[in-house]
Amino acid sequence: FLPVPIQFGTRTESVSTGEGEEAKTEQQEVPNIINETRPLWKKTPSDLKDEDYLAFYRSLYPMAPEPMFWIHLNIDYPFNLTGVLYFPKLGNAMEVTRNKIHLYCNQVFVTDDVREIVPEWLQLLHGVIDSPDIPLNVSRSYLQSDTNVKKISEYIARKVADKLHDLFKADRPAYEQKWRDLGVFVKYGMIADPKFQERAMAFSLVENTAGEFFLLNDYKEKIKTNQTDKHGKIVCIYTNDPAGHDAYIRSAVQRGYDVLKLDVVLDNHWIQQLEYKTELGFVFVRVDSDTVDRLVQKDEQKESVLSEKEIETVKTSFEKVVTDGGRVECQPLA
């Protein structure tokens, strides 16, 4: 991507000459330019089509599946920055592959280690960023003290948040379909970046076992009546193994509870974040952690289904077993 053309010999190219009946095609030797002097990130977004972005992605990562979407960065104040960042499909595996973002300075490759320039949680992204304001001395200590680097890091995080919010507002059903992959970025960002967490409340989703999606505040309104415990906490019941917990889930649903599906690698850390660092008032309880009547603890006095005489009979039987270590044959209660 050097800005000056690099010629490697020549190549034969078909060239049309003349017009009408005199038109003919000739083979000519032309310079074989082997670099792209005006790469995609230097072009105006309005002049590009989706296929242009996808072709550029395939040229960078020929073995990777197609990305979900991308962000074209273009800013000239208070610093200069251009680039294209792609959201790859991660799924549940969350393969945290580093060194997938390439840093350029005026189209000259600098490094693929962007730890101090791009927030850690966004190093899951793929793509290119180009800025003449990033020092070519890319030692960590130097970058940490550079004010432009800090501004660039904050700008990229904000652009990602804006893009996700726009996608959510523009087409919520499509956003929900991609949540399995998008959720990895959003949850990782909420754990790692308090500012992003505040923004993410507008597009962070939870999915229940019925396949319904809710914003966090909307889910709070949905369950607060039936799932608020005696301490005023809203109990979110969840499963990390929907198939294995099927009996527990059905029992909870029959009692009127809603059960979330939280089976992604990051979910344990994410729910801790929601419990301790948000104002939602959530407490998360796994659906198989207790009997269904104790998942949401309330100050309820439950009447016994036995009469006083039957209670005394049961009590006497168990006391005899405990004290004597003997065997007691219990007769059916009348």
Side-chain angles (χ1 to χ4, degrees):
F1 302 117
L2 290 173
V4 293
I6 300 173
Q7 180 178 343
F8 187 76
T10 60
R11 58 187 174 87
T12 302
E13 188 175 88
S14 298
V15 178
S16 297
T17 59
E19 296 181 359
E21 296 179 355
E22 299 180 359
K24 58 182 180 178
T25 301
E26 297 180 353
Q27 300 295 318
Q28 294 183 0
E29 292 292 315
V30 297
N32 182 31
I33 305 301
I34 61 172
N35 65 314
E36 177 60 68
T37 58
R38 191 165 178 262
L40 179 132
W41 72 82
K42 289 291 186 181
K43 299 176 182 178
T44 305
S46 59
D47 295 336
L48 298 170
K49 300 178 180 179
D50 288 353
E51 183 52 41
D52 297 322
Y53 288 101
L54 293 173
F56 182 65
Y57 185 81
R58 286 191 289 267
S59 71
L60 293 176
Y61 316 102
M63 303 303 294
E66 289 192 351
M68 293 182 287
F69 55 89
W70 47 86
I71 300 174
H72 196 134
L73 306 172
N74 191 354
I75 185 172
D76 54 18
Y77 182 82
F79 50 83
N80 289 297
L81 176 73
T82 55
V84 180
L85 294 177
Y86 294 88
F87 282 72
K89 295 178 181 178
L90 295 177
N92 193 24
M94 189 189 163
E95 297 177 2
V96 185
T97 53
R98 307 296 182 185
N99 305 330
K100 291 294 187 180
I101 297 178
H102 299 168
L103 173 65
Y104 286 78
C105 179
N106 289 326
Q107 298 176 226
V108 178
F109 177 74
V110 179
T111 183
D112 58 7
D113 183 357
V114 294
R115 284 176 292 176
E116 301 303 325
I117 301 166
V118 177
E120 181 183 358
W121 59 278
L122 284 178
Q123 291 177 37
L124 300 172
L125 300 179
H126 296 175
V128 172
I129 55 177
D130 187 332
S131 176
D133 294 329
I134 296 176
L136 292 179
N137 179 356
V138 290
S139 67
R140 296 193 67 187
S141 59
Y142 194 95
L143 289 174
Q144 286 172 343
S145 61
D146 189 272
T147 55
N148 277 331
V149 169
K150 294 178 182 178
K151 292 177 183 177
I152 289 172
S153 178
E154 293 173 358
Y155 168 77
I156 293 173
R158 187 171 67 252
K159 286 290 288 184
V160 168
D162 292 344
K163 178 69 172 182
L164 290 168
H165 195 200
D166 291 344
L167 289 171
F168 174 77
K169 291 191 297 182
D171 191 347
R172 177 165 177 169
Y175 185 89
E176 291 176 353
Q177 289 180 356
K178 296 177 181 176
W179 179 247
R180 187 84 175 164
D181 294 287
L182 287 177
V184 176
F185 295 100
V186 176
K187 293 170 184 177
Y188 194 3
M190 292 178 72
I191 294 168
D193 185 345
K195 290 183 179 179
F196 180 81
Q197 177 183 285
E198 294 178 12
R199 299 187 182 103
M201 295 298 288
F203 51 81
S204 181
L205 301 177
V206 287
E207 180 187 5
N208 66 12
T209 52
E212 300 170 322
F213 291 87
F214 304 90
L215 289 169
L216 291 170
N217 283 314
D218 292 343
Y219 191 69
K220 178 180 179 179
E221 294 300 315
K222 172 181 173 61
I223 67 172
K224 70 178 183 180
T225 301
N226 200 33
Q227 293 177 216
T228 300
D229 67 11
K230 60 184 179 182
H231 303 294
K233 292 288 187 179
I234 298 174
V235 180
C236 296
I237 303 170
Y238 74 95
T239 175
N240 60 355
D241 182 9
H245 293 160
D246 181 66
Y248 296 101
I249 294 169
R250 284 189 283 107
S251 180
V253 171
Q254 287 174 1
R255 194 176 178 84
Y257 295 153
D258 192 82
V259 181
L260 293 177
K261 184 168 64 174
L262 296 173
D263 57 348
V264 178
V265 174
L266 277 174
D267 281 336
N268 281 337
H269 300 286
W270 187 54
I271 62 180
Q272 291 177 18
Q273 187 83 1
L274 294 180
E275 284 183 338
Y276 299 116
K277 295 189 177 181
T278 66
E279 303 300 323
L280 293 169
F282 282 167
V283 172
F284 286 84
V285 175
R286 207 168 75 179
V287 70
D288 65 332
S289 62
D290 210 331
T291 55
V292 67
D293 59 322
R294 293 177 59 83
L295 290 174
V296 182
Q297 297 188 13
K298 297 179 180 285
D299 285 326
E300 296 178 349
Q301 296 293 331
K302 298 181 179 179
E303 296 184 4
S304 174
V305 297
L306 303 178
S307 66
E308 291 186 7
K309 181 178 179 181
E310 291 169 338
I311 292 173
E312 188 61 33
T313 302
V314 173
K315 180 181 177 182
T316 303
S317 298
F318 277 94
E319 285 178 346
K320 183 171 181 57
V321 172
V322 172
T323 55
D324 298 343
R327 178 180 177 184
V328 175
E329 293 184 5
C330 295
Q331 299 297 324
L333 297 172

